[in-house]
Amino acid sequence: MSILDKISGRFKKAAGDIADDPSLRRQGRQEERKGEAKEELAEAHERADAKAEEIANLERKTSS
């Protein structure tokens, strides 16, 4: 869903620019940052899962 937040944010920023509405631009920036944060969190989870798998593999090798 992070991509939807980013797209929605960009749309709101553009609409705020067109309408000269600082509040709408601000909402757009916030949504875009929210999407970016979600992506970063997902990437961190993937790295943590990869490390956990790496450790599990090492434990299997050393216990054999």
Side-chain angles (χ1 to χ4, degrees):
M1 289 299 154
S2 62
I3 190 74
L4 292 177
D5 290 324
K6 288 173 68 174
I7 291 170
S8 172
R10 287 182 185 151
F11 179 77
K12 283 185 180 180
K13 278 185 0 185
D17 287 341
I18 292 169
D20 195 27
D21 184 345
S23 176
L24 192 55
R25 280 193 296 260
R26 186 173 37 257
Q27 286 177 357
R29 281 193 306 272
Q30 289 172 343
E31 280 190 37
E32 198 170 3
R33 283 193 302 260
K34 178 181 171 183
E36 290 167 356
K38 284 181 180 181
E39 282 182 352
E40 289 174 14
L41 181 60
E43 289 170 3
H45 278 137
E46 288 174 11
R47 287 191 305 271
D49 288 344
K51 277 293 178 191
E53 184 66 28
E54 184 180 326
I55 290 169
N57 288 338
L58 285 173
E59 287 178 346
R60 277 187 229 116
K61 287 180 184 179
T62 58
S63 66
S64 296

